[in-house]
Amino acid sequence: MAKWIVGLCLAVWVVSAFAGEAAPAANDPVLEARMMRISSELRCLVCQNQTIADSHAGLAVDLRQQVREMLQQGKSEQQILDYMTARYGDFVLYRPPFKATTALLWIGPGVMVVAGLAILVGVLRRRSRMPQDQFDPEAPEPAQDPHLT
Amino acid sequence: MKSLRFLVPLAIFLGLVVFLGAGLKLDPKEVPSPLIGKPTPAFALTRLDNAGQTIRREDLLGKVWMLNVWASWCVACREEHPLLVEFARKKLLPVYGLNYKDERSAGLRWLANFGNPYDASLFDQDGRVGIDWGVYGVPETFIIDREGVIRFKQIGPITPDVIRTQIEPLVRRLNG
């Protein structure tokens, strides 16, 4: 009987010892997928045209591990992005927030397109009001081209 | 007014030249640190040469000091090193090292070979403190004021020019 109890205690102890160890992150596909999604929002500062998810640079590996651990601690995606921007600035975000210093970045292309269209419309309107004789005569018809006949 | 219209393409061209010229001068590797003007992150690391002695953020409050991030595997650090040794000899301020993602023996051997400019080197084996300091390109150099606020950061090797025009004036002002 005593043997049984010792055996049972040992069994429970062994099981609980294993249970006490958290499963390595790589074995948790859901967490790993979340980690990769967040990492793909972050720029690797060592190789700047890659995301932390893509890069094999030492720092990217470390930062992926950091993201993994913060997810395990139950941190939200926003908390993780805040953690990264506090250390590396808005530059780490592939989608930087809209604020005074990034306004030109966000609005610039739109302003250029609108300005280009406005100039195009202005030129076309002015030309449509010009009399016909201001333009060069039309190019000869292709059929009249001596090389083609 | 109409006679000056031929200058418009020239003006556009000059505008482009200014933009592209400025763009050539900017180094995309130099990302402005958001930590400038912020208190240093908390840290508690052992000394490189003494695993039994821990140095904490609080230990360094009250003095202006320099933190230089280095590693024995870092090629640019070796290039920078003689300059740092020479700078440390002037004793303008205490210079601490952050031995980043290195092995203790490799780091100590490196210092023995090339000279040790550091009052002490903090041993950051897993690079966690480096991440807290926003380190991404070793070597990096920080100047921290008496209140423990980061006032300056150099990414990449320091140069004689940076020491003369930026670091020395700043240290004098912070100490003055």
Side-chain angles (χ1 to χ4, degrees), chain B residues 121-171:
Chain B
S121 272
L122 314 169
F123 184 55
D124 183 24
Q125 187 166 29
D126 57 8
R128 284 304 163 97
V129 170
I131 290 179
D132 282 341
W133 283 71
V135 169
Y136 67 89
V138 192
E140 294 190 9
T141 304
F142 298 83
I143 305 281
I144 298 98
D145 72 11
R146 288 200 183 99
E147 283 77 42
V149 174
I150 298 174
R151 303 299 287 263
F152 171 86
K153 177 182 182 184
Q154 166 80 12
I155 295 157
I158 51 170
T159 61
D161 192 51
V162 169
I163 289 184
R164 200 178 58 248
T165 61
Q166 297 187 55
I167 294 179
E168 287 182 349
L170 177 67
V171 171

Side-chain angles (χ1 to χ4, degrees), chain A residues 48-140:
Chain A
Q48 294 185 351
N49 288 326
Q50 280 190 306
T51 64
I52 285 174
D54 295 334
S55 176
H56 296 289
L59 182 65
V61 175
D62 289 353
L63 289 178
R64 281 204 296 272
Q65 183 57 29
Q66 186 72 36
V67 171
R68 197 177 281 136
E69 280 172 25
M70 289 178 81
L71 284 173
Q72 281 168 340
Q73 289 159 15
K75 297 265 166 50
S76 73
E77 187 167 332
Q78 192 53 47
Q79 280 173 315
I80 294 173
L81 295 181
D82 289 346
Y83 171 93
M84 294 297 169
T85 35
R87 284 157 182 76
Y88 297 101
D90 289 337
F91 193 72
V92 290
L93 302 177
Y94 265 106
R95 289 184 292 164
F98 186 85
K99 55 188 189 187
T101 47
T102 57
L104 194 63
L105 182 72
W106 280 106
I107 303 176
V111 168
M112 286 218 203
V113 168
V114 169
L117 283 177
I119 290 172
L120 182 67
V121 167
V123 168
L124 288 179
R125 276 196 167 165
R126 213 176 54 228
R127 287 172 73 109
S128 71
R129 282 198 302 269
M130 275 156 71
Q132 200 65 47
D133 58 353
Q134 294 250 335
F135 297 94
D136 291 335
E138 276 187 32

Side-chain angles (χ1 to χ4, degrees), chain B residues 69-82:
Chain B
V69 185
W70 66 281
S72 66
W73 46 262
C74 156
V75 181
C77 299
R78 207 162 139 181
E79 181 190 314
E80 169 191 71
H81 205 65

